[in-house]
Amino acid sequence: MSIHAKGLKMQPQVIATTPFEGQRPGTSGLRKKVGAFRQPHYLENFVQAIFDTQTDVAGGTLVVGGDGRYYNREAIQTILRMAAANGVKRALVGRGGILSTPAASCVIRKYRTRGGIILSASHNPGGPDGDFGIKFNIAAGGPAPESVTDAIFARTQTIREYRTLDCPATDLDTLGTVRIGDMEVEIIDPVSDYAELMESLFDFNAIHQLFNSGIFRMRFDAMHAVTGPYAKEIIETRLGAAPGTVLNGEALEDFGGGHPDPNLAHAKELVAMTEGPDALDFGAASDGDGDRNMILGKKCFVTPSDSLAVLAANAHLVPGYRAGIRGVARSMPTSQAADRVAEQLGVECFETPTGWKFFGNLLDAGRITLCGEESFGTGSDHVREKDGLWAVLFWLNLLAVRQQSVAEILAEHWRRFGRNFYTRHDYEEVDASAAEGLMDHLRILLPDLPGRRLGDQTVSYADDFAYTDPIDGSRSERQGIRIGFESGARIVFRLSGTGTEGATLRIYLEFFEPDPERHQRDTQEAMQPLILIARELGQIEARTGRSEPDVVT
Ligand code: VG1
Ligand code: CO
């Protein structure tokens, strides 16, 4: 029975509060330790700042869901009470409080809602001592642009009160509609809308046949995170892969104590299964909130930058993209492999700052169809978030159509376009002022670098990347230091905007190799000269006390 029917007419309560420091959203929403979010009024202040600045959300429908990490359920109860008190008419909530980030984007768009609140700290660890996060997505389905996050942040600095209802917790586990005050809450199946969208884009019959061929073995590692239920439904149930194809498919509040980041360092088990005499033909993984992907073939790792380029070059083989692609975009630190494909296809290619929010306008304007980031993110105009399972299905569709292995597809791609060798080195939890000092030091060097010889390379340009959005003209500055060489090689230095402890320094390295004879070289070995240039130029060891990176991908 609904609360309303019980006759408990609830009056909104206005609670006095004071601002918290540091509620500025980073690369993808506000991310902090769970302990920070649990402080009285902390989450409430941020949520009220959303309602105060995004005034059209009241009176409409709001999507709410998260990656199921620790504190997800509590946060959803808080948000639902506040949404009702702030005049939201209807909330769509994934059962159990679950919605992967791409599924949330799908639901926001499909039901023409006013936006959504997504609870996730993505690839960051969870649990009582782990991380939590919250972000607002706009009606187009994508992460709020900087103008919106700036407004929300400004509001958090002046906030004095928030509105909520005093009412019992909503049952999140039963499908159907209930009421909180004047707001309808509809608990929806978190998987079905998304699964239907995937079926509309990919050739499920062809993938099913590949699974049934008896010569193809794969595993998908859900890393005990949100994609478990999605992958089981799509890969095992709808596509008929053998039960057990999805590994770690049980979504856990602390991701089983792991780091739900699908890369060579954190998905070691899966990587090992694609090596050795009994190697799988295909391995894939996704992150905490389901928007990242890692693609592995037999004894073969596809860098996310290459993945974007391969998908772009082969998109016409997949039903959803049969008509071809309109353009591609990649984040600045992503390798230039996709640029070469765009050039051959004769379509536009854009270079944006890091973070999916910068792709939104290009997608909305129909200027691009595919986009991607080096950080294991790939996506298209089907939603407005990067999409882990989508990328996996795209690859499976290609394997089914081309009847080749991942390694063969990659080798052929490199023969046709040349290879952009690529690696990223992360130095994590570095002292924040040391990291800032390192970036400042590089900024000072920039004007003198062009023309200078570093190792066996000559600098052709050096700048702090700034971006003017081609659609709305908005400007984003200080987006990472780029050093380009005459050979086409690049080094990029950036500080992470998603970490919650100290600073994380990311160094992105790339060089172009046209010669197929040299395409099979070991990446780290091939990149050694550039790595040395980067370390020396950034005075990494002297400034951070680290002689080696923590994570190499
Ligand atoms: C990282 C990645 C970036 C990605 C962001 C969110 O940001 O580098 O490419 O968009 O995470 O991804 P940063 O600022 O730490 O480098 V997710 O899957 O955490 O929402
Ligand atoms: Co993510």
Side-chain angles (χ1 to χ4, degrees):
M1 200 197 313
S2 82
I3 293 159
H4 214 71
K6 276 189 223 156
L8 297 169
K9 177 78 184 163
M10 281 157 292
Q11 291 301 322
Q13 298 182 316
V14 179
I15 311 277
T17 186
T18 48
F20 286 91
E21 292 268 297
Q23 291 199 322
R24 182 189 279 287
T27 313
S28 181
L30 179 67
R31 291 191 190 165
K32 300 282 175 198
K33 292 276 168 217
V34 166
F37 271 102
R38 287 179 119 174
Q39 300 169 83
H41 310 321
Y42 190 90
L43 174 68
E44 289 86 344
N45 279 12
F46 191 79
V47 172
Q48 188 61 50
I50 297 174
F51 290 128
D52 286 349
T53 55
Q54 308 311 302
T55 48
D56 64 336
V57 175
T61 301
L62 178 74
V63 174
V64 185
D67 63 9
R69 69 178 57 223
Y70 186 82
Y71 200 56
N72 191 51
R73 283 173 176 268
E74 259 177 275
I76 289 178
Q77 298 293 352
T78 301
I79 292 165
L80 290 178
R81 289 183 178 113
M82 289 184 65
N86 277 280
V88 173
K89 285 279 162 280
R90 187 162 160 251
L92 296 180
V93 186
R95 185 181 47 224
I98 295 291
L99 277 175
S100 77
T101 294
S105 184
C106 161
V107 170
I108 291 170
R109 292 167 65 76
K110 182 168 176 179
Y111 298 103
R112 300 177 191 281
T113 67
R114 304 267 169 100
I117 294 180
I118 303 180
L119 304 160
S120 170
S122 188
H123 55 290
N124 297 9
D129 302 319
D131 288 353
F132 193 74
I134 176 169
K135 69 173 179 172
F136 176 69
N137 278 31
I138 57 175
E146 280 189 329
S147 56
V148 172
T149 55
D150 285 350
I152 294 171
F153 172 59
R155 183 63 189 155
T156 65
Q157 293 179 300
T158 58
I159 193 157
R160 291 285 164 229
E161 56 186 41
Y162 64 83
R163 280 181 289 289
T164 186
L165 287 187
D166 183 17
C167 67
T170 304
D171 173 8
L172 301 178
D173 299 301
T174 311
L175 295 180
T177 305
V178 292
R179 289 189 83 86
I180 306 181
D182 292 330
M183 183 175 80
E184 239 178 39
V185 181
E186 194 178 337
I187 307 295
I188 60 169
D189 181 315
V191 178
S192 58
D193 292 310
Y194 176 82
E196 198 177 286
L197 178 59
M198 294 302 110
E199 272 193 82
S200 76
L201 295 172
F202 300 111
D203 187 343
F204 272 36
N205 281 332
I207 301 174
H208 176 73
Q209 279 170 27
L210 175 71
F211 288 169
N212 266 349
S213 64
I215 52 161
F216 181 77
R217 289 169 56 238
M218 76 163 279
R219 292 287 181 275
F220 175 87
D221 188 349
M223 304 188 88
H224 287 304
V226 80
T227 38
Y230 293 85
K232 278 196 213 161
E233 168 65 20
I234 295 171
I235 297 177
E236 293 185 2
T237 306
R238 298 197 186 200
L239 288 167
T245 299
V246 176
L247 302 174
N248 302 318
E250 226 48 70
L252 300 175
E253 283 199 328
D254 66 348
F255 310 119
H259 210 123
D261 197 352
N263 61 32
L264 296 176
H266 296 302
K268 277 209 180 83
E269 244 180 62
L270 180 74
V271 175
M273 295 171 84
T274 60
E275 288 163 351
D278 197 30
L280 298 171
D281 300 293
F282 186 71
S286 189
D287 71 331
D289 62 331
D291 56 359
R292 297 187 176 204
N293 75 89
M294 175 168 68
I295 303 293
L296 300 160
K298 191 175 274 187
K299 303 183 179 77
C300 158
F301 161 64
V302 184
T303 70
S305 298
D306 278 342
S307 183
L308 174 64
V310 170
L311 299 192
N314 292 279
H316 59 283
L317 299 177
V318 167
Y321 308 93
R322 194 137 278 158
I325 57 170
R326 301 215 201 177
V328 225
R330 61 163 174 83
S331 69
M332 183 273 281
T334 303
S335 98
Q336 298 164 99
D339 305 30
R340 297 177 185 280
V341 176
E343 203 189 329
Q344 276 210 21
L345 294 178
V347 299
E348 280 188 293
C349 181
F350 298 87
E351 181 175 51
T352 59
T354 293
W356 213 259
K357 56 180 173 258
F358 294 103
F359 295 133
N361 279 345
L362 294 167
L363 290 163
D364 289 349
R367 295 282 285 273
I368 57 168
T369 304
L370 298 181
C371 45
E373 294 190 281
E374 49 63 42
S375 53
F376 298 81
T378 335
S380 87
D381 57 2
H382 70 292
V383 290
R384 293 293 181 274
E385 289 278 4
K386 56 186 182 274
D387 191 344
L389 261 177
W390 169 90
V392 174
L393 295 170
F394 204 134
W395 267 95
L396 286 169
N397 200 149
L398 291 187
L399 296 177
V401 173
R402 289 190 49 168
Q403 300 280 315
Q404 284 173 302
S405 70
V406 174
E408 283 162 355
I409 290 177
L410 252 193
E412 242 184 73
H413 185 91
W414 292 334
R415 270 199 298 278
R416 181 165 162 211
F417 297 98
R419 176 172 181 186
N420 291 71
F421 275 90
Y422 187 85
T423 189
R424 181 176 109 181
H425 287 195
D426 291 336
Y427 296 78
E428 295 180 338
E429 292 178 36
V430 170
D431 175 75
S433 56
E436 287 294 347
L438 189 152
M439 294 299 284
D440 287 341
H441 150 77
L442 287 169
R443 278 190 196 101
I444 293 166
L445 286 183
L446 288 177
D448 299 325
L449 286 178
R452 239 179 84 185
R453 213 158 158 77
L454 301 174
D456 56 352
Q457 303 275 354
T458 306
V459 178
S460 66
Y461 65 88
D463 63 9
D464 197 346
F465 182 57
Y467 177 68
T468 304
D469 185 292
I471 311 301
D472 67 13
S474 59
R475 181 102 179 136
S476 304
E477 274 160 3
R478 290 165 75 99
Q479 296 295 324
I481 288 177
R482 299 192 293 187
I483 298 164
F485 299 95
E486 281 171 3
S487 65
R490 289 195 316 166
I491 300 175
V492 174
F493 294 85
R494 236 191 106 246
L495 296 185
S496 157
T498 59
T500 58
E501 245 166 287
T504 292
L505 170 68
R506 306 201 194 285
I507 303 178
Y508 313 79
L509 305 131
E510 160 183 25
F511 77 91
F512 182 64
E513 178 57 78
D515 181 2
E517 296 290 305
R518 296 168 68 84
H519 284 167
Q520 301 300 332
R521 294 170 69 198
D522 173 75
T523 300
Q524 295 306 315
E525 216 174 276
M527 309 222 56
Q528 205 52 33
L530 266 187
I531 293 171
L532 293 178
I533 294 173
R535 287 186 185 174
E536 200 166 305
L537 198 66
Q539 304 176 343
I540 311 266
E541 189 163 0
R543 289 176 177 274
T544 67
R546 308 285 179 81
S547 56
E548 291 296 326
D550 300 279
V551 179
V552 171
T553 50

